[in-house]
Amino acid sequence: GQQLNQSPQSMFIQEGEDVSMNCTSSSIFNTWLWYKQDPGEGPVLLIALYKAGELTSNGRLTAQFGITRKDSFLNISASIPSDVGIYFCAGQLVGNNDMRFGAGTRLTVKP
Amino acid sequence: GAVVSQHPSWVICKSGTSVKIECRSLDFQATTMFWYRQFPKQSLMLMATSNEGSKATYEQGVEKDKFLINHASLTLSTLTVTSAHPEDSSFYICSAPRARGYTFGSGTRLTVV
């Protein structure tokens, strides 16, 4: 089952605003990944994090791997309408090869 | 980049029939393939993990006799939903681990009528 707590569940923002979402867990992860999913399609990788404290950017997206290895956040700056979609965090537990997903954050951007 | 090709993208079948979903790694060898199920407005839930050359491992609560997984080669993994029922209607997605991140198939929307 789910082992990641992702928040917020949904966000309604105005174009141009910044967005922040995060995932936390009581377990330790050795990898954190952030994905975006458009309706009817598979998730697409946005950012991958592999070391505690790592801060990585991909265009307007920035994500960090928490120092405790139990959390991660994703920021989107200057949102645009095509940012609309569902964002998932995913983590790989220490000693496991599979990936667990957060419940997702549904982002709506109003022009 | 690494691509996982998933087919079909959608399928409608009658209750009681079986449906096979294929995932192929196009430019790399996938020794492992993860199979997820996603209900509307929900997250991806891991169903099972297939490994080339060995039996698949299933998550708790997933019926292995109903969801048959075969990893026939290093580039092909299949999920067969046997004796499908309307409650099996869902979005099924495969994923293969890569050096950096995981690559997902485009998903299969199964509707059982």
Side-chain angles (χ1 to χ4, degrees):
Chain A
Q2 300 286 8
Q3 294 171 294
L4 303 182
N5 300 307
Q6 183 171 351
S7 64
Q9 189 174 22
S10 61
M11 300 183 75
F12 297 83
I13 63 169
Q14 206 72 35
E15 182 178 0
E17 290 183 354
D18 297 341
V19 172
S20 185
M21 59 192 79
N22 69 84
C23 275
T24 61
S25 175
S26 57
S27 303
I28 295 175
F29 289 80
N30 59 20
T31 302
W32 282 97
L33 306 165
W34 285 93
Y35 287 87
K36 183 189 178 195
Q37 185 179 27
D38 292 323
E41 299 187 16
V44 174
L45 181 66
L46 299 174
I47 293 179
L49 303 162
Y50 297 95
K51 293 189 328 185
E54 180 180 354
L55 182 69
T56 299
S57 293
N58 177 8
R60 294 179 294 107
L61 278 61
T62 303
Q64 184 160 31
F65 193 143
I67 292 292
T68 64
R69 298 172 68 187
K70 295 182 179 181
D71 63 306
S72 176
F73 72 75
L74 173 70
N75 288 342
I76 305 173
S77 62
S79 58
I80 59 178
S82 61
D83 290 334
V84 166
I86 304 176
Y87 292 80
F88 291 101
C89 63
Q92 183 181 21
L93 284 165
V94 173
N96 264 338
N97 194 30
D98 63 66
M99 203 171 25
R100 305 291 165 155
F101 281 81
T105 296
R106 186 178 297 273
L107 178 63
T108 303
V109 180
K110 293 179 284 187
Chain B
V3 174
V4 172
S5 176
Q6 183 170 349
H7 293 281
S9 56
W10 60 270
V11 57
I12 301 174
C13 70
K14 289 186 176 181
S15 188
T17 62
S18 296
V19 173
K20 180 186 283 188
I21 301 170
E22 292 188 349
C23 278
R24 294 180 184 273
S25 55
L26 296 187
D27 50 2
F28 68 100
Q29 293 182 332
T31 56
T32 299
M33 192 75 74
F34 301 113
W35 288 92
Y36 293 86
R37 178 168 53 185
Q38 185 179 34
F39 291 107
K41 297 188 178 182
Q42 293 188 24
S43 188
L44 288 78
M45 298 299 293
L46 181 65
M47 297 175 64
T49 303
S50 72
N51 297 288
E52 191 270 338
S54 62
K55 288 184 179 180
T57 56
Y58 291 80
E59 294 299 299
Q60 191 173 11
V62 178
E63 302 173 59
K64 61 181 180 181
D65 294 331
K66 180 170 185 62
F67 298 99
L68 301 179
I69 289 177
N70 184 274
H71 202 128
S73 72
L74 288 172
T75 58
L76 175 64
S77 177
T78 62
L79 167 67
T80 301
V81 183
T82 63
S83 186
H85 291 283
E87 58 265 30
D88 298 325
S89 298
S90 187
F91 193 57
Y92 293 86
I93 311 175
C94 60
S95 171
R98 301 292 292 136
R100 293 188 70 82
Y102 295 72
T103 297
F104 283 84
S106 55
T108 298
R109 182 161 302 285
L110 170 64
T111 302
V112 184
V113 298

